[in-house]
Amino acid sequence: MSSDELIWRIAGGSGDGIDSTSQNFAKALMRSGLDVFTHRHYPSRIRGGHTYVEIRAADREVQSRGDGYNFLLSLGDSFARNPQEEAYYGNEEIKPLSENLDDLREGGIIVYDEGLISEEDVEAIDLEARAEENDWHVFPMDLRGLAREHGREVMRNTAGVGVTAALLDMDLEHIEDLMSDAMGGDVLEANLEILHEAYETTREEYEFEHDLRAPEGSHETEQALLSGSNAIAYGAIDAGCRFIAGYPMTPWTDVFTILAQNFPDMGGVSEQVEDEIAAAALALGASHAGAKAMSGSSGGGFALMSEPLGLAEMTETPLVLVESMRAGPSTGMPTKPEQGDLEFVLYTSQGDSSRVVFAPSSIEEAYEQTRLAFEIAWDYQLPAIVIYDQKLSGENKNVDVEFFDREPKPDLGSTLTEDELAEAAHDASGKFKRFNYEDAENNVAPRSLPGQKGGRYLATGNEHSPVGHISEDPDNRVAQMTRRIEKLDSIREELNEEHESNQTYFGDDDAEYGIITWGSSHGAVHEAVERLNESGHSVKGMSVSDMMPFPETEVTEFLESVDEAMVVEMNATAQFRGLIQKELGRFGEKMTSLLKYNGNPFEPAEVVEGYEVNLADDDREPTAQVRIEPAAGD
Amino acid sequence: MSAFNAIGEEREIDRDEFTPSVEPQPTWCPGCGDFGVLKSLKQALPEVGKTPEEVLTVTGIGCSGKLNSYLDTYGFHTIHGRSLPVARAAKLANTDLEVIAAGGDGDGYGIGGNHFIHTARENHDMTYIVFNNEIFGLTKGQTSPTSPKGHKSKTQPSGSAKTPIRPLSQSLTAGASYIARTAAVNPNQAKEIIAEAIEHDGFAHVDFLTQCPTWNKDARQYVPYIDVQESDDYDFDVTDRREAAEMMYETEDVLNEGTVLTGRYYVDEDRPSYQEEKSAVGELPDQPLAERYFDEDAEWERSYDLLDRHT
Ligand SMILES: Cc1ncc(C[n+]2csc(CCOP(=O)(O)OP(=O)(O)O)c2C)c(N)n1
Ligand code: SF4
């Protein structure tokens, strides 16, 4: 097997330190000059239960998980309940080994902790026979014993990393550096001893017959390893957001936590409140009083936010909400990604909506579009929603540090200063015409803030007159409603003219076929398109980020330019395809769908296969995990 | 120079400044108790030295929610039950604002009940006035959380089987540091109490009895009230939690029997407000957050400086 890419999977029980170990190992690989991308799989349990993290590393850009993987470090589940008998969850100790074998590629490596996983258990799963069949190289090591000898059992992760480094012929330097950054004193000593002993023992005890070695690479600039949640939080910080209110719900909690931890040092305010209605209402109240504010949640919590969201639209109060999708309906699968809340986020709350919805498709876009969401929300005075999912939220990728090197943008958009207020239109009673529709440029009526001189008005969730009084006058209603809704046209125009497209294009410009996708499925689709073209197909891809206002022209041009197109998304009802048809009123006959909703994100090979079955008239049956939805009229 | 010059402005304040000089005129029914709240606020605000532009009134939905439509301050007429979360965040964002939230008993004790408990618990520095008419007014007379047991309405035709909630006791248990009840039929006391509530540093909850002549003609709100502080029969220490609790309990019992007691029930000047607590643990900046956006010299930290931990 060639060593052009390493896909290392570390598996254990929740609570076994899989996350921190993988984070450090990914960083070590990044520091050695490789591009890395991580994928995290975990169950909805706090301790115990099989979990893994996969790190894909290569000497080229990686923007998706791979197909399968080639190195398994299986620690065993130390929180396994009832190891003697088959517990409710089955015999759990061995799950981090047994549950992962299906995806391991031919010629792959297996290291498992024989200190925790018993010989009988291994025999019971027929590992030897399977290894022979697949040319796997199996290395049982007593990681637990080794760790216990030098320190504590929990350090078996370090032993595992030592074995990994030995088998991959890696330098220990970066791993050691990261350890000394993270710890000190006796703990560091013990960990270093364990690392070295595991490394040496492996080299002495085994002869390596496998071909897999860590790929070599180098970076020209400094890299940072960060997740989609980090990127969203950092985009918010750089946009001047200094107020966040929330209520915990996976996976949105990550963004909430990052900001709550950073805000005290930055003069920001964070509030954990009683529920999501309150959370969004607080963000709204803070924004009304002059702070750049955000809130967010996942599907169920976002449902509660629909009231304050509508209030923000009606009172034209800027606000950023993030919605981190997980599989639904209802509480669904809390730790599994899905792209099933698109329609919900587009149309939640009563009346005709005037909101902006961005769906970033990568870590970089998560940063850019969160920043943009703040900018648009404050310039146009309406709520902007960033919709992403558990996958983008938790995956880590290396990004050029320079990418983040830009000025903060704390300006309050179309908010007037007191001097400007003095010049602005007021009614006979001296009230500021805050909702003035008469000369609203770009449909925006500039606002004042409570406490400013000369800016008094009433913000109301009822339909209202220019100064904010409740009004059911039909002419006023039409003027206000039209202005609010037409803001979306002004925004679409601005996005077209002043910003680089939020949409991403890839593949061959003149291709016959197209694949169109959105959000976090982009990475896998992008890679699939490259592979398809390499194998002689003629395909191009488009990943759409603007959900509202919808990029009508761009999507129309793309679809017109191809004979047929496949829409790839992680949900069961083809919501994005539905949106395209609704927005463009055509192309129903041109689009088929590739859908996946089993809780795991697409792998590139599934997209390749889906394409072949769908568009290239292959008569293979697709795998059971994906579904094909034919084009209308098919 | 501040970006919010209306805040803290020292000048003689004319009572009329709080009355909109052009439309709208109140749409409340003749004889509605809501006029009493409006009037006492218009009297109290100039008395405590507040200018219309430094006050933010945040209301919910209901007849009560229209309060700030007829009061010339900065205002936010929000949605049913949600005035408190909006109001407390406005105060956190700009601690210099005078924030007053108001709504009805359905709005505040029913749909907004959760927010009421938590805002009181946290002791946010603000005033909360609940127009308690023991009925849903705007939706035409349904039973509310404060309607007495046995109350008949179109939605509870056989008479309500529910015991009314005890707003005063509930507020005390939750943690409000100023609790009073007053009534529209007693304008002098109402004005005093509202002024005290505004000046109080912490969550000041005023249960304001307002009569609804349209839907609730029998309500006790019409009965002559007794001021507990002025009556020798009800001697208790308003700063003592236990004594206050007992008095509230009794008050809420006799209200159900038809005797209306009003006055201050609990005043805790020592408990720090949420804003003070939050700033003591370093989670609230010294300069009002909102001011910072106008401060040319403000330093805005950027995410780039946080990247060290990711490299
Ligand atoms: C979410 C929601 N539910 C219901 C309503 C309808 N609604 C409007 S006012 C009201 C009751 C108001 O009663 P109360 O708070 O006692 O105020 P009052 O009108 O008596 O002053 C209701 C149920 C609404 N506007 N929003
Ligand atoms: S319905 Fe009742 S509460 Fe509403 S305005 Fe009329 S009298 Fe007042």
Side-chain angles (χ1 to χ4, degrees):
Chain A
M1 188 198 324
S2 84
S3 306
D4 84 313
E5 67 174 8
L6 165 70
I7 306 182
W8 183 78
R9 186 184 281 193
I10 178 174
S14 290
D16 273 334
I18 303 292
D19 240 13
S20 55
T21 309
S22 61
Q23 189 78 11
N24 277 331
F25 191 60
K27 249 191 212 176
L29 289 166
M30 175 183 84
R31 284 188 185 180
S32 79
L34 297 171
D35 276 15
V36 295
F37 187 95
T38 74
H39 163 69
R40 184 171 164 211
H41 167 105
Y42 64 108
S44 186
R45 281 171 67 182
I46 306 304
R47 296 227 168 239
H50 166 231
T51 164
Y52 70 76
V53 175
E54 218 169 72
I55 303 170
R56 185 179 189 197
D59 179 27
R60 57 183 152 79
E61 199 190 0
V62 279
Q63 43 184 337
S64 157
R65 65 183 300 197
D67 307 321
Y69 69 106
N70 51 20
F71 192 121
L72 172 66
L73 169 61
S74 166
L75 294 174
D77 184 349
S78 72
F79 293 96
R81 284 169 215 174
N82 207 355
Q84 285 78 30
E85 298 158 38
E86 294 260 313
Y88 170 69
Y89 293 102
N91 179 349
E92 297 192 328
E93 271 183 339
I94 196 176
K95 277 197 168 173
L97 176 60
S98 57
E99 297 267 297
N100 290 302
L101 296 178
D102 285 348
D103 304 333
L104 183 62
R105 293 187 195 165
E106 225 177 85
I109 297 178
I110 299 175
V111 176
Y112 70 87
D113 186 355
E114 60 178 353
L116 204 84
I117 298 173
S118 74
E119 220 171 297
E120 301 91 78
D121 280 350
V122 175
E123 271 165 30
I125 60 164
D126 262 345
L127 184 63
E128 212 175 311
R130 290 189 69 176
E132 200 154 318
E133 203 179 302
N134 292 293
D135 188 25
W136 291 336
H137 304 266
V138 186
F139 301 90
M141 301 286 292
D142 182 7
L143 304 174
R144 174 152 83 165
L146 203 158
R148 198 188 275 152
E149 232 173 81
H150 292 272
R152 292 194 301 128
E153 236 170 66
V154 289
M155 296 176 185
R156 67 204 179 97
N157 300 20
T158 306
V161 171
V163 177
T164 301
L167 292 171
L168 292 174
D169 221 355
M170 274 175 78
D171 229 7
L172 289 181
E173 180 198 337
H174 296 301
I175 299 170
E176 287 169 347
D177 281 354
L178 284 160
M179 282 185 173
S180 18
D181 286 351
M183 45 192 138
D186 291 351
V187 183
L188 176 63
E189 282 305 302
N191 269 294
L192 287 175
E193 274 171 34
I194 293 168
L195 182 74
H196 283 278
E197 188 169 330
Y199 189 81
E200 298 304 336
T201 319
T202 314
R203 298 184 76 106
E204 281 159 23
E205 265 180 33
Y206 291 107
E207 222 170 282
F208 307 160
E209 285 165 2
H210 56 270
D211 297 332
L212 185 66
R213 297 290 181 274
E216 280 177 18
S218 67
H219 290 128
E220 274 165 27
T221 50
E222 196 179 14
Q223 302 291 305
L225 181 70
L226 72 182
S227 69
S229 297
N230 283 126
I232 288 173
Y234 293 173
I237 287 171
D238 290 347
C241 171
R242 289 297 183 275
F243 188 100
I244 187 162
Y247 189 84
M249 184 166 184
T250 306
W252 126 266
T253 315
D254 286 350
V255 169
F256 185 25
T257 313
I258 296 165
L259 287 176
Q261 286 176 351
N262 282 304
F263 272 176
D265 291 337
M266 302 186 154
V269 176
S270 94
E271 280 283 289
Q272 183 186 319
V273 295
E274 59 269 29
D275 59 31
E276 286 87 351
I277 309 178
L282 260 95
L284 188 62
S287 168
H288 178 75
K292 275 183 137 169
M294 85 187 265
S295 183
S297 192
S298 191
F302 192 80
L304 294 183
M305 294 183 167
S306 85
E307 276 190 344
L309 174 66
L311 180 61
E313 295 183 1
M314 189 49 132
T315 58
E316 300 180 64
T317 310
L319 176 69
V320 171
L321 296 177
V322 299
E323 212 267 45
S324 190
M325 296 177 281
R326 60 193 218 185
S330 191
T331 312
M333 296 198 281
T335 62
K336 301 291 175 217
E338 204 167 87
Q339 298 179 295
D341 296 349
L342 177 60
E343 292 184 334
F344 176 52
V345 162
L346 288 172
Y347 312 120
T348 308
S349 134
Q350 66 273 34
D352 295 313
S353 38
S354 42
R355 69 192 63 168
V356 169
V357 180
F358 291 137
S361 75
S362 66
I363 305 221
E364 290 90 337
E365 281 189 11
Y367 173 86
E368 298 271 12
Q369 289 173 18
T370 305
R371 239 182 111 116
L372 185 58
F374 275 94
E375 206 178 305
I376 299 280
W378 263 261
D379 282 350
Y380 287 90
Q381 304 177 10
L382 80 180
I385 302 169
V386 177
I387 180 174
Y388 63 113
D389 61 28
Q390 188 267 354
K391 168 171 148 47
L392 181 58
S393 161
E395 67 197 15
N396 282 266
K397 180 183 177 294
N398 62 301
V399 180
D400 196 335
V401 163
E402 310 262 286
F403 174 82
F404 297 96
D405 187 12
R406 24 187 144 181
E407 286 307 306
K409 213 173 174 305
D411 81 82
L412 290 181
S414 49
T415 307
L416 299 177
T417 62
E418 289 187 343
D419 288 344
E420 289 164 336
L421 270 169
E423 306 288 309
H426 289 70
D427 81 353
S429 72
K431 268 200 169 161
F432 167 51
K433 287 195 178 175
R434 188 255 174 269
F435 304 102
N436 196 359
Y437 48 77
E438 267 152 20
D439 38 34
E441 205 181 314
N442 288 331
N443 296 302
V444 177
R447 67 179 188 147
S448 61
L449 299 175
Q452 282 184 317
K453 237 181 150 59
R456 227 166 55 251
Y457 77 99
L458 181 68
T460 177
N462 290 64
E463 187 56 270
H464 44 258
S465 71
V467 295
H469 290 311
I470 297 174
S471 164
E472 294 188 353
D473 173 72
D475 293 336
N476 175 73
R477 160 70 175 179
V478 170
Q480 297 289 16
M481 191 57 166
T482 311
R483 184 176 59 78
R484 284 192 300 265
I485 289 294
E486 288 185 353
K487 274 187 202 178
L488 289 175
D489 298 329
S490 309
I491 294 168
R492 188 184 284 116
E493 228 165 89
E494 182 185 324
L495 287 175
N496 284 345
E497 280 163 21
E498 284 177 34
H499 294 266
E500 263 184 51
S501 171
N502 278 340
Q503 284 54 254
T504 318
Y505 299 91
F506 39 94
D508 187 359
D509 244 3
D510 313 315
E512 237 172 301
Y513 294 106
I515 304 187
I516 182 162
T517 188
W518 69 286
S520 77
S521 296
H522 164 220
V525 172
H526 193 153
E527 190 165 329
V529 166
E530 279 169 10
R531 279 195 222 168
L532 283 166
N533 284 324
E534 275 163 28
S535 63
H537 289 288
S538 171
V539 208
K540 61 179 176 178
M542 176 179 192
S543 165
V544 181
S545 285
D546 296 349
M547 297 292 134
M548 191 186 280
F550 194 75
E552 290 162 3
T553 324
E554 285 173 272
V555 179
T556 304
E557 280 171 7
F558 181 85
L559 288 171
E560 275 179 346
S561 75
V562 292
D563 292 347
E564 270 183 79
M566 180 169 83
V567 190
V568 180
E569 53 186 321
M570 275 192 280
N571 61 55
T573 53
Q575 299 188 18
F576 178 58
R577 180 171 121 186
L579 176 67
I580 299 175
Q581 280 176 239
K582 171 183 177 286
E583 290 285 339
L584 305 182
R586 52 192 277 224
F587 298 119
E589 73 301 335
K590 239 186 194 184
M591 294 184 288
T592 56
S593 280
L594 183 69
L595 307 170
K596 187 176 181 186
Y597 45 93
N598 69 353
N600 294 313
F602 280 104
E603 290 176 16
E606 290 172 325
V607 180
V608 168
E609 187 198 65
Y611 172 87
E612 284 166 352
V613 175
N614 245 330
L615 300 189
D617 289 332
D618 191 321
D619 47 16
R620 260 184 302 160
E621 279 293 306
T623 53
Q625 304 287 359
V626 294
R627 209 180 85 203
I628 307 258
E629 196 66 35
D634 255 26
Chain B
M1 211 181 73
S2 167
F4 298 96
N5 282 308
I7 297 178
E9 203 182 351
E10 302 270 342
R11 60 176 176 84
E12 196 67 25
I13 298 149
D14 187 347
R15 231 180 90 179
D16 289 343
E17 287 182 45
F18 289 91
T19 306
S21 56
V22 283
E23 292 287 329
Q25 295 303 311
T27 54
W28 293 319
C29 311
C32 174
D34 294 5
F35 287 103
V37 187
L38 180 61
K39 187 166 159 218
S40 52
L41 259 172
K42 282 184 184 170
Q43 289 174 334
L45 283 167
E47 199 164 283
V48 299
K50 296 295 172 193
T51 62
E53 286 169 331
E54 68 184 311
V55 177
L56 174 66
T57 45
V58 185
T59 57
I61 296 293
C63 299
S64 52
K66 294 186 174 168
L67 174 78
N68 50 9
S69 302
Y70 315 134
L71 183 73
D72 227 346
T73 61
Y74 269 100
F76 202 151
H77 183 193
T78 64
I79 39 178
H80 200 38
R82 315 295 167 209
S83 63
L84 287 177
V86 173
R88 67 198 212 216
K91 180 73 181 180
L92 285 167
N94 191 349
T95 40
D96 289 343
L97 285 176
E98 189 59 55
V99 176
I100 300 171
D105 44 279
D107 180 82
Y109 303 146
I111 188 166
N114 194 22
H115 309 308
F116 173 49
I117 292 170
H118 289 276
T119 313
R121 160 169 89 100
E122 292 164 8
N123 197 32
H124 285 266
D125 183 14
M126 55 185 281
T127 303
Y128 184 39
I129 304 169
V130 181
F131 297 47
N132 184 357
N133 56 12
E134 298 185 358
I135 197 98
F136 281 14
L138 197 66
T139 45
K140 303 194 172 173
Q142 299 81 3
T143 309
S144 96
T146 48
S147 302
K149 196 168 171 183
H151 178 263
K152 284 191 183 168
S153 70
K154 280 185 192 155
T155 51
Q156 318 235 296
S158 316
S160 167
K162 305 177 196 197
T163 317
I165 70 151
R166 296 171 173 271
L168 303 176
S169 305
Q170 197 176 43
S171 178
L172 185 77
T173 313
S177 55
Y178 181 96
I179 305 165
R181 167 175 278 167
T182 189
V185 290
N186 183 17
N188 292 334
Q189 185 204 46
K191 182 196 78 184
E192 266 175 45
I193 283 184
I194 298 287
E196 264 179 31
I198 292 171
E199 292 196 308
H200 177 75
D201 294 329
F203 187 65
H205 167 218
V206 179
D207 186 66
F208 205 122
L209 301 173
T210 52
Q211 63 278 14
C212 173
T214 306
W215 306 111
N216 206 12
K217 289 195 177 53
D218 308 330
R220 282 80 49 124
Q221 275 79 339
Y222 299 103
V223 175
Y225 69 94
I226 301 162
D227 186 330
V228 291
Q229 265 80 35
E230 282 173 10
S231 161
D232 294 338
D233 298 344
Y234 303 99
D235 181 32
F236 72 104
D237 180 359
V238 287
T239 65
D240 185 299
R241 240 186 133 74
R242 272 170 193 278
E243 289 188 26
E246 249 171 64
M247 264 311 300
M248 286 176 188
Y249 212 80
E250 197 176 319
T251 299
E252 283 157 344
D253 272 346
V254 295
L255 179 68
N256 292 334
E257 285 152 20
T259 313
V260 180
L261 299 181
T262 60
R264 298 118 180 112
Y265 286 88
Y266 186 61
V267 183
D268 181 353
E269 299 286 4
D270 299 330
R271 181 175 177 201
S273 70
Y274 183 64
Q275 280 68 15
E276 285 164 334
E277 303 265 22
K278 206 167 161 72
S279 101
V281 296
E283 289 195 352
L284 193 68
D286 300 335
Q287 181 191 24
L289 190 53
E291 281 272 6
R292 197 168 153 200
Y293 289 90
F294 295 90
D295 183 348
E296 305 256 304
D297 303 323
E299 286 221 6
W300 291 85
E301 290 88 344
R302 49 189 201 143
S303 69
Y304 191 72
D305 305 327
L306 301 172
L307 289 181
D308 272 355
R309 60 182 88 140
H310 299 284
T311 56

